[in-house]
Amino acid sequence: AQSVTQLGSHVSVSEGALVLLRCNYSSSVPPYLFWYVQYPNQGLQLLLKYTSAATLVKGINGFEAEFKKSETSFHLTKPSAHMSDAAEYFCAVSDAGNNRKLIWGLGTSLAVNP
Amino acid sequence: DADVTQTPRNRITKTGKRIMLECSQTKGHDRMYWYRQDPGLGLQLIYYSFDVKDINKGEISDGYSVSRQAQAKFSLSLESAIPNQTALYFCATSDNRANGYTFGSGTRLTVV
């Protein structure tokens, strides 16, 4: 069965510091992988996705993620954190079957300190 | 207008009451999903629908029912609300495995 593990339910960084949010997945087929962001009192918004093209994927707001098959990882990074990046981040993998369900990690709450 | 619209945005209801949460979309997507979100538990799938005639239970369907009135509309009902159904509820749509989901803004439900 497919699964997603997000290491660290809470991450705190200083403004201007590197953001690294970790995601590991298990999948028996080539995965489609996604990162979503949820700002306070809002729905989830797609940040970026990997769909078997380039392994380094660039998303919105300066975020990017690298698909590493050998490590079954899809970590999210941003070189310099802004206060506005404070949010909940979710990693997801697309179910291998035809039902297109997303399998979700439990989320990582990112705090950005001034 | 939002691609996926959920109503109401907030609702407080009493234990034992029936309540319906509504979701409509203008994306033209065939698949629709209902999730609940609780702190620390991530997103839990309640029900999902492939089309108007195809409804499927998710991980936590007990106490909930759904209706797919049209391709664009997917409603979630709590027949007899209980306090542990207090949560944030999201509707989502999809058309293609590679595109992921489009989410509504959520309904914050409080059962007192």
mmCIF file of all heavy atoms in Angstrom, chain B residues 29-59:
data_model
loop_
_atom_site.group_PDB
_atom_site.id
_atom_site.type_symbol
_atom_site.label_atom_id
_atom_site.label_comp_id
_atom_site.label_asym_id
_atom_site.label_seq_id
_atom_site.Cartn_x
_atom_site.Cartn_y
_atom_site.Cartn_z
ATOM 1 N N HIS B 29 -14.803 18.901 -13.555
ATOM 2 C CA HIS B 29 -14.147 17.656 -13.155
ATOM 3 C C HIS B 29 -15.178 16.577 -12.876
ATOM 4 O O HIS B 29 -16.275 16.847 -12.397
ATOM 5 C CB HIS B 29 -13.305 17.901 -11.902
ATOM 6 C CG HIS B 29 -12.101 18.732 -12.164
ATOM 7 N ND1 HIS B 29 -11.281 19.194 -11.134
ATOM 8 C CD2 HIS B 29 -11.546 19.192 -13.312
ATOM 9 C CE1 HIS B 29 -10.282 19.892 -11.662
ATOM 10 N NE2 HIS B 29 -10.433 19.902 -12.972
ATOM 11 N N ASP B 30 -14.765 15.322 -13.152
ATOM 12 C CA ASP B 30 -15.706 14.226 -12.927
ATOM 13 C C ASP B 30 -15.656 13.703 -11.490
ATOM 14 O O ASP B 30 -16.655 13.210 -10.985
ATOM 15 C CB ASP B 30 -15.455 13.090 -13.926
ATOM 16 C CG ASP B 30 -14.028 12.560 -13.874
ATOM 17 O OD1 ASP B 30 -13.144 13.252 -13.337
ATOM 18 O OD2 ASP B 30 -13.802 11.439 -14.366
ATOM 19 N N ARG B 31 -14.531 13.848 -10.841
ATOM 20 C CA ARG B 31 -14.383 13.234 -9.531
ATOM 21 C C ARG B 31 -14.427 14.282 -8.435
ATOM 22 O O ARG B 31 -13.822 15.338 -8.542
ATOM 23 C CB ARG B 31 -13.091 12.430 -9.486
ATOM 24 C CG ARG B 31 -13.118 11.381 -10.577
ATOM 25 C CD ARG B 31 -12.152 10.293 -10.445
ATOM 26 N NE ARG B 31 -12.393 9.298 -11.509
ATOM 27 C CZ ARG B 31 -11.839 8.110 -11.560
ATOM 28 N NH1 ARG B 31 -11.007 7.737 -10.615
ATOM 29 N NH2 ARG B 31 -12.115 7.279 -12.539
ATOM 30 N N MET B 32 -15.156 13.920 -7.377
ATOM 31 C CA MET B 32 -15.295 14.829 -6.248
ATOM 32 C C MET B 32 -15.089 14.064 -4.945
ATOM 33 O O MET B 32 -15.380 12.860 -4.870
ATOM 34 C CB MET B 32 -16.671 15.521 -6.258
ATOM 35 C CG MET B 32 -16.885 16.359 -7.507
ATOM 36 S SD MET B 32 -18.416 17.313 -7.509
ATOM 37 C CE MET B 32 -18.025 18.606 -6.318
ATOM 38 N N TYR B 33 -14.591 14.766 -3.929
ATOM 39 C CA TYR B 33 -14.168 14.144 -2.673
ATOM 40 C C TYR B 33 -14.621 15.022 -1.501
ATOM 41 O O TYR B 33 -14.645 16.246 -1.608
ATOM 42 C CB TYR B 33 -12.642 14.027 -2.623
ATOM 43 C CG TYR B 33 -12.008 13.353 -3.814
ATOM 44 C CD1 TYR B 33 -11.783 14.051 -4.996
ATOM 45 C CD2 TYR B 33 -11.631 12.013 -3.762
ATOM 46 C CE1 TYR B 33 -11.193 13.425 -6.091
ATOM 47 C CE2 TYR B 33 -11.040 11.386 -4.851
ATOM 48 C CZ TYR B 33 -10.831 12.108 -6.018
ATOM 49 O OH TYR B 33 -10.256 11.489 -7.098
ATOM 50 N N TRP B 34 -14.923 14.345 -0.380
ATOM 51 C CA TRP B 34 -15.138 15.052 0.873
ATOM 52 C C TRP B 34 -14.109 14.568 1.900
ATOM 53 O O TRP B 34 -13.943 13.354 2.099
ATOM 54 C CB TRP B 34 -16.531 14.786 1.435
ATOM 55 C CG TRP B 34 -17.567 15.710 0.907
ATOM 56 C CD1 TRP B 34 -18.531 15.453 -0.021
ATOM 57 C CD2 TRP B 34 -17.763 17.081 1.287
ATOM 58 N NE1 TRP B 34 -19.295 16.561 -0.249
ATOM 59 C CE2 TRP B 34 -18.848 17.578 0.537
ATOM 60 C CE3 TRP B 34 -17.119 17.932 2.178
ATOM 61 C CZ2 TRP B 34 -19.305 18.889 0.663
ATOM 62 C CZ3 TRP B 34 -17.563 19.229 2.301
ATOM 63 C CH2 TRP B 34 -18.652 19.701 1.550
ATOM 64 N N TYR B 35 -13.442 15.532 2.544
ATOM 65 C CA TYR B 35 -12.459 15.248 3.577
ATOM 66 C C TYR B 35 -12.845 15.994 4.857
ATOM 67 O O TYR B 35 -13.473 17.061 4.816
ATOM 68 C CB TYR B 35 -11.073 15.769 3.170
ATOM 69 C CG TYR B 35 -10.339 14.935 2.164
ATOM 70 C CD1 TYR B 35 -10.450 15.190 0.802
ATOM 71 C CD2 TYR B 35 -9.498 13.903 2.580
ATOM 72 C CE1 TYR B 35 -9.750 14.433 -0.121
ATOM 73 C CE2 TYR B 35 -8.791 13.145 1.657
ATOM 74 C CZ TYR B 35 -8.931 13.412 0.317
ATOM 75 O OH TYR B 35 -8.227 12.656 -0.596
ATOM 76 N N ARG B 36 -12.399 15.451 5.979
ATOM 77 C CA ARG B 36 -12.395 16.236 7.196
ATOM 78 C C ARG B 36 -10.959 16.393 7.673
ATOM 79 O O ARG B 36 -10.119 15.505 7.459
ATOM 80 C CB ARG B 36 -13.277 15.639 8.296
ATOM 81 C CG ARG B 36 -12.829 14.341 8.872
ATOM 82 C CD ARG B 36 -13.748 13.918 10.038
ATOM 83 N NE ARG B 36 -13.415 14.577 11.289
ATOM 84 C CZ ARG B 36 -14.109 14.471 12.411
ATOM 85 N NH1 ARG B 36 -15.211 13.732 12.438
ATOM 86 N NH2 ARG B 36 -13.735 15.083 13.516
ATOM 87 N N GLN B 37 -10.712 17.540 8.293
ATOM 88 C CA GLN B 37 -9.378 17.835 8.796
ATOM 89 C C GLN B 37 -9.467 18.107 10.280
ATOM 90 O O GLN B 37 -10.242 18.962 10.724
ATOM 91 C CB GLN B 37 -8.784 19.040 8.071
ATOM 92 C CG GLN B 37 -7.353 19.354 8.500
ATOM 93 C CD GLN B 37 -6.787 20.570 7.800
ATOM 94 O OE1 GLN B 37 -7.510 21.477 7.383
ATOM 95 N NE2 GLN B 37 -5.468 20.605 7.657
ATOM 96 N N ASP B 38 -8.679 17.388 11.056
ATOM 97 C CA ASP B 38 -8.558 17.592 12.493
ATOM 98 C C ASP B 38 -7.095 17.852 12.809
ATOM 99 O O ASP B 38 -6.213 17.247 12.181
ATOM 100 C CB ASP B 38 -9.035 16.357 13.254
ATOM 101 C CG ASP B 38 -10.489 16.025 12.981
ATOM 102 O OD1 ASP B 38 -11.336 16.604 13.682
ATOM 103 O OD2 ASP B 38 -10.774 15.219 12.079
ATOM 104 N N PRO B 39 -6.813 18.698 13.768
ATOM 105 C CA PRO B 39 -5.413 18.990 14.115
ATOM 106 C C PRO B 39 -4.629 17.719 14.416
ATOM 107 O O PRO B 39 -5.063 16.881 15.199
ATOM 108 C CB PRO B 39 -5.555 19.867 15.366
ATOM 109 C CG PRO B 39 -6.897 20.495 15.231
ATOM 110 C CD PRO B 39 -7.771 19.462 14.588
ATOM 111 N N GLY B 40 -3.491 17.564 13.768
ATOM 112 C CA GLY B 40 -2.621 16.419 14.009
ATOM 113 C C GLY B 40 -3.013 15.154 13.273
ATOM 114 O O GLY B 40 -2.253 14.179 13.276
ATOM 115 N N LEU B 41 -4.182 15.141 12.662
ATOM 116 C CA LEU B 41 -4.639 13.938 11.960
ATOM 117 C C LEU B 41 -4.610 14.098 10.453
ATOM 118 O O LEU B 41 -4.960 13.164 9.720
ATOM 119 C CB LEU B 41 -6.063 13.575 12.400
ATOM 120 C CG LEU B 41 -6.239 13.211 13.862
ATOM 121 C CD1 LEU B 41 -7.691 12.847 14.143
ATOM 122 C CD2 LEU B 41 -5.316 12.055 14.267
ATOM 123 N N GLY B 42 -4.234 15.241 9.970
ATOM 124 C CA GLY B 42 -4.180 15.448 8.534
ATOM 125 C C GLY B 42 -5.561 15.434 7.913
ATOM 126 O O GLY B 42 -6.546 15.838 8.523
ATOM 127 N N LEU B 43 -5.628 14.932 6.678
ATOM 128 C CA LEU B 43 -6.884 14.872 5.942
ATOM 129 C C LEU B 43 -7.397 13.438 5.916
ATOM 130 O O LEU B 43 -6.674 12.526 5.532
ATOM 131 C CB LEU B 43 -6.660 15.344 4.508
ATOM 132 C CG LEU B 43 -6.271 16.807 4.351
ATOM 133 C CD1 LEU B 43 -5.787 17.062 2.947
ATOM 134 C CD2 LEU B 43 -7.454 17.702 4.669
ATOM 135 N N GLN B 44 -8.636 13.263 6.297
ATOM 136 C CA GLN B 44 -9.248 11.945 6.279
ATOM 137 C C GLN B 44 -10.380 11.933 5.271
ATOM 138 O O GLN B 44 -11.263 12.799 5.315
ATOM 139 C CB GLN B 44 -9.767 11.578 7.669
ATOM 140 C CG GLN B 44 -8.657 11.465 8.718
ATOM 141 C CD GLN B 44 -9.239 11.249 10.099
ATOM 142 O OE1 GLN B 44 -9.656 12.166 10.795
ATOM 143 N NE2 GLN B 44 -9.285 9.990 10.510
ATOM 144 N N LEU B 45 -10.372 10.937 4.390
ATOM 145 C CA LEU B 45 -11.351 10.856 3.324
ATOM 146 C C LEU B 45 -12.666 10.295 3.842
ATOM 147 O O LEU B 45 -12.698 9.209 4.441
ATOM 148 C CB LEU B 45 -10.802 9.980 2.196
ATOM 149 C CG LEU B 45 -11.657 9.820 0.953
ATOM 150 C CD1 LEU B 45 -11.890 11.167 0.270
ATOM 151 C CD2 LEU B 45 -10.996 8.842 -0.008
ATOM 152 N N ILE B 46 -13.749 11.003 3.583
ATOM 153 C CA ILE B 46 -15.072 10.573 4.051
ATOM 154 C C ILE B 46 -15.789 9.796 2.948
ATOM 155 O O ILE B 46 -16.217 8.662 3.143
ATOM 156 C CB ILE B 46 -15.919 11.784 4.485
ATOM 157 C CG1 ILE B 46 -15.165 12.636 5.516
ATOM 158 C CG2 ILE B 46 -17.242 11.303 5.086
ATOM 159 C CD1 ILE B 46 -15.869 13.945 5.841
ATOM 160 N N TYR B 47 -15.977 10.435 1.812
ATOM 161 C CA TYR B 47 -16.601 9.824 0.642
ATOM 162 C C TYR B 47 -15.967 10.397 -0.609
ATOM 163 O O TYR B 47 -15.436 11.509 -0.590
ATOM 164 C CB TYR B 47 -18.108 10.144 0.592
ATOM 165 C CG TYR B 47 -19.008 9.198 1.324
ATOM 166 C CD1 TYR B 47 -19.418 9.472 2.629
ATOM 167 C CD2 TYR B 47 -19.490 8.049 0.707
ATOM 168 C CE1 TYR B 47 -20.251 8.614 3.313
ATOM 169 C CE2 TYR B 47 -20.336 7.177 1.388
ATOM 170 C CZ TYR B 47 -20.716 7.463 2.679
ATOM 171 O OH TYR B 47 -21.557 6.617 3.354
ATOM 172 N N TYR B 48 -16.070 9.624 -1.696
ATOM 173 C CA TYR B 48 -15.666 10.151 -2.986
ATOM 174 C C TYR B 48 -16.586 9.611 -4.073
ATOM 175 O O TYR B 48 -17.210 8.556 -3.911
ATOM 176 C CB TYR B 48 -14.187 9.859 -3.299
ATOM 177 C CG TYR B 48 -13.780 8.415 -3.344
ATOM 178 C CD1 TYR B 48 -13.578 7.766 -4.556
ATOM 179 C CD2 TYR B 48 -13.549 7.707 -2.170
ATOM 180 C CE1 TYR B 48 -13.172 6.448 -4.605
ATOM 181 C CE2 TYR B 48 -13.154 6.385 -2.205
ATOM 182 C CZ TYR B 48 -12.965 5.757 -3.416
ATOM 183 O OH TYR B 48 -12.560 4.445 -3.465
ATOM 184 N N SER B 49 -16.624 10.357 -5.167
ATOM 185 C CA SER B 49 -17.565 10.040 -6.237
ATOM 186 C C SER B 49 -16.864 10.152 -7.576
ATOM 187 O O SER B 49 -16.214 11.160 -7.865
ATOM 188 C CB SER B 49 -18.747 11.007 -6.183
ATOM 189 O OG SER B 49 -19.559 10.895 -7.338
ATOM 190 N N PHE B 50 -17.012 9.131 -8.417
ATOM 191 C CA PHE B 50 -16.396 9.154 -9.740
ATOM 192 C C PHE B 50 -17.312 9.827 -10.753
ATOM 193 O O PHE B 50 -16.851 10.425 -11.714
ATOM 194 C CB PHE B 50 -16.085 7.743 -10.220
ATOM 195 C CG PHE B 50 -15.004 7.055 -9.442
ATOM 196 C CD1 PHE B 50 -14.717 5.725 -9.673
ATOM 197 C CD2 PHE B 50 -14.277 7.715 -8.470
ATOM 198 C CE1 PHE B 50 -13.720 5.067 -8.961
ATOM 199 C CE2 PHE B 50 -13.284 7.080 -7.748
ATOM 200 C CZ PHE B 50 -13.007 5.743 -7.996
ATOM 201 N N ASP B 51 -18.604 9.647 -10.568
ATOM 202 C CA ASP B 51 -19.588 10.361 -11.374
ATOM 203 C C ASP B 51 -20.906 10.289 -10.615
ATOM 204 O O ASP B 51 -20.963 9.790 -9.502
ATOM 205 C CB ASP B 51 -19.693 9.808 -12.797
ATOM 206 C CG ASP B 51 -20.166 8.373 -12.862
ATOM 207 O OD1 ASP B 51 -21.024 7.970 -12.051
ATOM 208 O OD2 ASP B 51 -19.662 7.634 -13.734
ATOM 209 N N VAL B 52 -21.964 10.767 -11.230
ATOM 210 C CA VAL B 52 -23.241 10.893 -10.539
ATOM 211 C C VAL B 52 -23.738 9.546 -10.004
ATOM 212 O O VAL B 52 -24.359 9.477 -8.937
ATOM 213 C CB VAL B 52 -24.287 11.516 -11.486
ATOM 214 C CG1 VAL B 52 -25.663 11.523 -10.844
ATOM 215 C CG2 VAL B 52 -23.890 12.932 -11.849
ATOM 216 N N LYS B 53 -23.425 8.478 -10.680
ATOM 217 C CA LYS B 53 -23.950 7.167 -10.284
ATOM 218 C C LYS B 53 -22.946 6.322 -9.519
ATOM 219 O O LYS B 53 -23.198 5.136 -9.268
ATOM 220 C CB LYS B 53 -24.412 6.405 -11.527
ATOM 221 C CG LYS B 53 -25.554 7.085 -12.272
ATOM 222 C CD LYS B 53 -25.982 6.270 -13.485
ATOM 223 C CE LYS B 53 -27.127 6.940 -14.216
ATOM 224 N NZ LYS B 53 -27.556 6.176 -15.419
ATOM 225 N N ASP B 54 -21.835 6.891 -9.167
ATOM 226 C CA ASP B 54 -20.765 6.117 -8.524
ATOM 227 C C ASP B 54 -20.295 6.826 -7.270
ATOM 228 O O ASP B 54 -19.586 7.838 -7.336
ATOM 229 C CB ASP B 54 -19.615 5.938 -9.510
ATOM 230 C CG ASP B 54 -18.619 4.900 -9.017
ATOM 231 O OD1 ASP B 54 -18.649 4.553 -7.825
ATOM 232 O OD2 ASP B 54 -17.809 4.434 -9.844
ATOM 233 N N ILE B 55 -20.708 6.295 -6.119
ATOM 234 C CA ILE B 55 -20.369 6.868 -4.818
ATOM 235 C C ILE B 55 -19.591 5.807 -4.041
ATOM 236 O O ILE B 55 -19.977 4.630 -4.038
ATOM 237 C CB ILE B 55 -21.624 7.249 -4.018
ATOM 238 C CG1 ILE B 55 -22.530 8.164 -4.826
ATOM 239 C CG2 ILE B 55 -21.234 7.867 -2.679
ATOM 240 C CD1 ILE B 55 -22.013 9.554 -5.031
ATOM 241 N N ASN B 56 -18.540 6.220 -3.372
ATOM 242 C CA ASN B 56 -17.692 5.280 -2.648
ATOM 243 C C ASN B 56 -17.384 5.784 -1.252
ATOM 244 O O ASN B 56 -17.159 6.982 -1.057
ATOM 245 C CB ASN B 56 -16.370 5.084 -3.401
ATOM 246 C CG ASN B 56 -16.589 4.616 -4.818
ATOM 247 O OD1 ASN B 56 -16.743 3.438 -5.074
ATOM 248 N ND2 ASN B 56 -16.614 5.565 -5.750
ATOM 249 N N LYS B 57 -17.349 4.849 -0.304
ATOM 250 C CA LYS B 57 -16.978 5.213 1.057
ATOM 251 C C LYS B 57 -15.478 5.419 1.163
ATOM 252 O O LYS B 57 -14.691 4.725 0.535
ATOM 253 C CB LYS B 57 -17.418 4.122 2.030
ATOM 254 C CG LYS B 57 -18.924 3.984 2.170
ATOM 255 C CD LYS B 57 -19.259 2.929 3.209
ATOM 256 C CE LYS B 57 -20.777 2.844 3.403
ATOM 257 N NZ LYS B 57 -21.132 1.823 4.436
ATOM 258 N N GLY B 58 -15.114 6.350 2.009
ATOM 259 C CA GLY B 58 -13.718 6.565 2.312
ATOM 260 C C GLY B 58 -13.356 5.914 3.629
ATOM 261 O O GLY B 58 -13.970 4.955 4.065
ATOM 262 N N GLU B 59 -12.345 6.471 4.285
ATOM 263 C CA GLU B 59 -11.814 5.880 5.514
ATOM 264 C C GLU B 59 -12.755 6.029 6.704
ATOM 265 O O GLU B 59 -12.770 5.194 7.601
ATOM 266 C CB GLU B 59 -10.484 6.550 5.856
ATOM 267 C CG GLU B 59 -9.461 6.530 4.734
ATOM 268 C CD GLU B 59 -8.460 7.670 4.876
ATOM 269 O OE1 GLU B 59 -8.566 8.456 5.831
ATOM 270 O OE2 GLU B 59 -7.581 7.777 4.029
#
